Amino acid sequence: MWKIILFLCFVVRISKGLIEVHEVPQDVAISNITSSTVVAVITPPNNTLIAVTQYTITVRQDIDDCNSFNDASCHENDQQTFAATADNRYTITGLQAYRKYVVSVVAVILGGRGESSSNFTFTTAAGRPNPIFNVVTVSLPEVIIVTFNAGTPITGPTSHGVILIAPDGSTRQAGVQASVSSSISITVSGVKDNTVYKLHITSSINGVGSSQLPPGTTVTSVPSIPLFTVARDSDVQLTLTIQAVDGATSYLVSYIQANCPNCTAQTATSTDTTVVLSELTAYTTYRISVFAVSAAGTSSGSTLS
């Protein structure tokens, strides 16, 4: 009877020993990194006498890196947990492109879970550029401004460009680097007056990308500056004769008394090239500006006084 009791005590002590073993993987190597997956290769614990039945892999985004992208989906406690078989190799899926992740591994044995490994970090590869949408063009004298949304979060070191191709084949272009904001604005300067340009918007990551607009998209620049002469009809009336401008559908005339800082400018719009200004103040000098207007926008003005 005494021998049996001793044997039972020894077994309990051994059982407790098994439960208290804390197995920690020696290393976790990350390989085969793509924009959405990586392969985790786990080096088993040093203790080869106790078999690992599976590994629990925990993956989360580095919160500081996530916040740097101004991503509203960033939450410090968000994480993914995968149960991997004991073959020491597991493909982690469902990752975002161009992001920094933290991974840790726990070895599971028959007696329970071991301690977590040290944290290992990796960064996923860049992905393809986000599609663009909400394209708006604004034509101003000598420039065309193109704004659009490019979506967030960015999927790599993205460059956006605008190319304007004139009918004669000449081009004007400009570009910017993507920011954490989804709204992009690019100003192309040196455009020709009253010219229909083919519009191309490109988005590229590491020099690889493509045009993001349908073929045939165009934008027209504003008309040329109109020239005009002034004839004095009477003490209170002037007649303006405007040289016709290609592409102009109307002309905007602004006039104000010269050297009168408190005076308010008056305006008149005409589809004709002859504009009469009446009911003026006699013996007064006026500053007169004329602008050409089209569907594309309004030109710079020419001024006489």
Side-chain angles (χ1 to χ4, degrees):
M1 176 65 68
W2 180 252
K3 291 182 179 180
I4 293 175
I5 292 175
L6 285 176
F7 176 74
L8 291 175
C9 291
F10 179 75
V11 170
V12 170
R13 191 176 298 116
I14 294 297
S15 297
K16 288 183 178 179
L18 287 174
I19 292 173
E20 293 176 357
V21 171
H22 299 295
E23 295 301 312
V24 181
Q26 296 183 61
D27 190 22
V28 180
I30 301 298
S31 62
N32 296 17
I33 298 175
T34 72
S35 60
S36 61
T37 65
V38 297
V39 173
V41 180
I42 305 165
T43 302
N46 281 321
N47 190 344
T48 58
L49 299 178
I50 302 175
V52 175
T53 58
Q54 72 174 29
Y55 294 101
T56 300
I57 303 172
T58 301
V59 182
R60 61 178 173 82
Q61 285 193 42
D62 181 277
I63 189 64
D64 293 331
D65 177 72
C66 190
N67 287 331
S68 71
F69 287 89
N70 196 27
D71 188 348
S73 67
C74 295
H75 299 288
E76 191 164 7
N77 295 324
D78 281 356
Q79 61 185 32
Q80 301 179 69
T81 302
F82 305 90
T85 57
D87 61 3
N88 306 347
R89 184 181 180 90
Y90 188 76
T91 300
I92 301 172
T93 61
L95 307 177
Q96 290 191 54
Y98 198 50
R99 290 299 182 87
K100 184 178 181 180
Y101 284 88
V102 180
V103 60
S104 60
V105 179
V106 171
V108 180
I109 60 176
L110 292 176
R113 293 167 54 90
E115 295 180 355
S116 177
S117 69
S118 300
N119 289 332
F120 298 87
T121 61
F122 64 89
T123 300
T124 50
R128 292 192 59 79
N130 292 320
I132 64 171
F133 55 98
N134 292 344
V135 178
V136 177
T137 60
V138 177
S139 294
L140 298 173
E142 300 182 355
V143 302
I144 290 177
I145 302 172
V146 181
T147 60
F148 54 90
N149 291 102
T152 57
I154 61 174
T155 54
T158 309
S159 298
H160 298 294
V162 170
I163 304 173
L164 302 178
I165 306 174
D168 63 4
S170 60
T171 63
R172 302 298 302 173
Q173 54 188 302
V176 297
Q177 291 295 120
S179 64
V180 294
S181 171
S182 65
S183 180
I184 307 296
S185 179
I186 300 177
T187 299
V188 183
S189 60
V191 299
K192 301 175 182 178
D193 295 329
N194 191 41
T195 301
V196 179
Y197 287 94
K198 292 181 181 178
L199 173 61
H200 291 271
I201 299 177
T202 60
S203 294
S204 63
I205 293 179
N206 296 328
V208 178
S210 60
S211 177
Q212 302 261 348
L213 278 182
T217 303
T218 62
V219 58
T220 304
S221 57
V222 300
S224 303
I225 299 173
L227 302 177
F228 68 101
T229 59
V230 179
R232 179 174 176 273
D233 301 330
S234 68
D235 292 341
V236 294
Q237 180 173 298
L238 300 173
T239 296
L240 280 55
T241 302
I242 305 169
Q243 293 185 18
V245 172
D246 289 342
T249 55
S250 64
Y251 299 92
L252 173 65
V253 178
S254 173
Y255 55 102
I256 188 173
Q257 292 184 27
N259 303 316
C260 181
N262 295 323
C263 291
T264 301
Q266 304 296 311
T267 59
T269 301
S270 174
T271 56
D272 198 350
T273 55
T274 299
V275 180
V276 177
L277 305 180
S278 58
E279 298 182 3
L280 303 175
T281 302
Y283 308 110
T284 301
T285 300
Y286 282 84
R287 183 182 301 110
I288 304 170
S289 299
V290 177
F291 306 82
V293 180
S294 73
T298 303
S299 72
S300 295
S302 60
T303 302
L304 294 175
S305 58

